Amino acid sequence: MTLDPEDSKIITLARSARARNGSAEGAAVRDETGRTYAATNVALDALTLSAVQVAVAMAISSGARSLEAVALVSEGAPSPADEAVAAELGVKSLLVAGPDGTLRG
């Protein structure tokens, strides 16, 4: 499967964020203007957010109205909440890759 260069970019951003923080998940999103936001999951006693949730929150709080793409890099699968927030903002399916960047599904 050949990916659009912009989709490859957000997978790379998600991998980089995950590696930099040593987190279980890395995610990146691209908004309707082409801006990108990368994040990792938050796992505190008082706050737990997936990497997708953090990246989406960053985009929305920066003024994004919709998303063109969402990438998740993880050993696991996206949660129903991750899929729901992506769908709410116009993304039909998440790009899901393993830690090595290989696209799954």
Side-chain angles (χ1 to χ4, degrees):
M1 171 183 209
T2 302
L3 279 180
D4 175 278
E6 292 300 313
D7 290 343
S8 292
K9 175 183 169 182
I10 64 169
I11 290 171
T12 299
L13 289 170
R15 284 185 70 210
S16 297
R18 181 182 183 271
R20 181 176 51 252
N21 290 345
S23 298
E25 297 180 338
V29 301
R30 185 175 61 248
D31 72 12
E32 76 279 5
T33 68
R35 292 179 297 186
T36 56
Y37 306 86
T40 62
N41 59 297
V42 174
L44 302 172
D45 289 339
L47 179 66
T48 302
L49 297 169
S50 73
V52 170
Q53 290 170 330
V54 176
V56 168
M58 291 169 61
I60 295 302
S61 67
S62 295
R65 295 181 182 270
S66 65
L67 298 176
E68 293 180 348
V70 175
L72 172 66
V73 173
S74 175
E75 291 186 16
S79 71
D82 290 343
E83 292 173 339
V85 73
E88 182 175 340
L89 294 169
V91 175
K92 291 184 175 73
S93 64
L94 279 71
L95 299 166
V96 181
D100 65 354
T102 301
L103 198 60
R104 297 193 312 246

